[in-house]
């Protein structure tokens, strides 16, 4: 999942970048509202983490304009403004959640997972296509079909991010570019065969049928009943 982090405090931003990437999210970071607006116009994100006290354009104005222009990306506000009126204003302008600083990173990660579940229309924490199952809470995956015994494994960060992208759009073929966008953030070096290497490792752990290759197009996980 690709996240846009909009935070002008460099110490907070650096800590969150490390924590989010350790949790297998691809993260892009900007420090003001105008750069955030430009990023949202040029990239596709599955989550926005938004500070309110931003230079050039404040967070509430950015949120209001984004929603007014049909921007549907989930937004979690992160701010030191802890008064009730600020919370009401942020939520009424279209935020999906509101976290008051200082907060614990595990709580923020749990809120990201909760908002993601609500957006997908599922209260269940697990992603599954009936044979392949992924647990976002502990990064464990399992695969089982009629011809092979169940395989369960703990995934690395990139393995988890890739499988999360595929299971979030099961039945859809994702290209190499699609998967690189889901797994890597700005400034991260991507080798030409990096995606193939990650897929090879997932198949080694879960079985060769866990991910399907559509030659010359990309990869997918089947959409089972």
């Amino acid at each position: 999942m690709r996240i846009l982090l909009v935070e002008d405090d460099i110490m907070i931003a650096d800590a969150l970048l490390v924590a989010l990437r350790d949790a297998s999210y691809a993260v892009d970071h900007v420090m003001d509202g105008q750069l955030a607006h430009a990023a949202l116009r040029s990239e596709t994100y599955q989550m926005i983490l938004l500070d309110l006290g931003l230079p050039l354009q404040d967070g509430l104005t950015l949120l209001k304009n984004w929603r007014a222009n049909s921007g549907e990306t989930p937004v979690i506000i992160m701010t030191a403004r802890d008064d009730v009126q600020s919370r009401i204003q942020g939520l009424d302008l279209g935020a999906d959640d509101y976290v008051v600083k200082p907060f614990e990173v595990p709580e923020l990660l749990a809120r990201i997972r909760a908002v993601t579940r609500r957006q997908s229309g599922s209260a269940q924490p697990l992603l599954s296509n009936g044979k392949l199952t992924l647990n976002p809470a502990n990064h464990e995956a399992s695969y089982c079909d009629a011809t092979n015994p169940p395989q369960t494994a703990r995934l690395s960060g990139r393995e988890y991010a890739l499988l999360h992208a595929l299971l979030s759009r099961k039945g859809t073929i994702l290209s190499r570019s699609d998967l690189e966008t889901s797994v890597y953030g700005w400034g991260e070096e991507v080798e030409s065969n990096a995606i193939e290497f990650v897929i090879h490792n997932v198949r080694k752990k879960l079985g060769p049928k866990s991910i399907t290759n559509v030659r010359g197009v990309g990869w997918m996980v089947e959409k089972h009943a």
Side-chain angles (χ1 to χ4, degrees):
M1 187 166 80
R2 195 179 188 95
I3 293 175
L4 178 64
L5 173 62
V6 190
E7 172 60 68
D8 67 327
D9 187 312
I10 192 63
M11 291 183 65
I12 293 175
D14 284 347
L16 286 176
L17 283 169
V18 171
L20 290 166
R21 286 170 178 165
D22 283 348
S24 307
Y25 296 112
V27 190
D28 299 335
H29 171 226
V30 294
M31 297 183 67
D32 65 62
Q34 289 186 3
L35 288 175
H37 179 72
L40 289 169
R41 294 184 64 183
S42 63
E43 302 284 352
T44 299
Y45 295 98
Q46 287 72 51
M47 183 73 63
I48 302 168
L49 301 180
L50 179 64
D51 185 24
L52 295 185
L54 298 169
L56 303 183
Q57 185 181 75
D58 68 271
L60 287 177
T61 300
L62 175 67
L63 173 61
K64 181 179 179 180
N65 292 339
W66 176 240
R67 292 296 189 232
N69 286 282
S70 302
E72 297 182 351
T73 309
V75 176
I76 298 178
I77 289 175
M78 310 177 304
T79 180
R81 302 178 191 175
D82 60 355
D83 60 286
V84 173
Q85 187 56 43
S86 292
R87 297 188 191 199
I88 292 172
Q89 187 178 16
L91 294 169
D92 281 347
L93 286 175
D96 296 89
D97 204 347
Y98 193 108
V99 184
V100 177
K101 300 175 182 175
F103 52 80
E104 296 293 332
V105 170
E107 179 188 359
L108 177 64
L109 296 177
R111 289 177 181 269
I112 290 172
R113 294 193 295 268
V115 169
T116 301
R117 291 198 301 272
R118 291 201 297 270
Q119 288 293 316
S120 68
S122 173
Q124 296 299 320
L126 304 180
L127 291 173
S128 180
N129 69 345
K131 295 183 178 180
L132 179 63
T133 300
L134 181 65
N135 188 337
N138 61 15
H139 290 196
E140 282 190 354
S142 61
Y143 181 79
C144 180
D145 61 25
T147 60
N148 295 286
Q151 300 288 327
T152 299
R154 179 71 59 87
L155 303 180
S156 71
R158 296 228 162 102
E159 292 163 2
Y160 168 82
L162 180 138
L163 203 54
H164 190 284
L166 290 168
L167 273 171
S168 295
R169 300 175 63 185
K170 49 185 176 288
T172 301
I173 302 170
L174 300 186
S175 67
R176 177 184 285 103
S177 177
D178 293 331
L179 292 172
E180 287 177 349
T181 298
S182 297
V183 175
Y184 298 94
W186 290 342
E188 293 187 80
E189 185 175 349
V190 185
E191 296 182 3
S192 59
N193 65 340
I195 293 299
E196 285 89 345
F197 180 74
V198 177
I199 289 172
H200 169 78
N201 287 340
V202 173
R203 285 172 165 166
K204 187 175 180 180
K205 291 180 177 181
L206 299 176
K209 295 182 180 180
S210 55
I211 298 176
T212 300
N213 174 236
V214 182
R215 189 175 297 277
V217 183
W219 297 267
M220 64 184 291
V221 296
E222 302 288 347
K223 187 175 183 179
H224 300 290

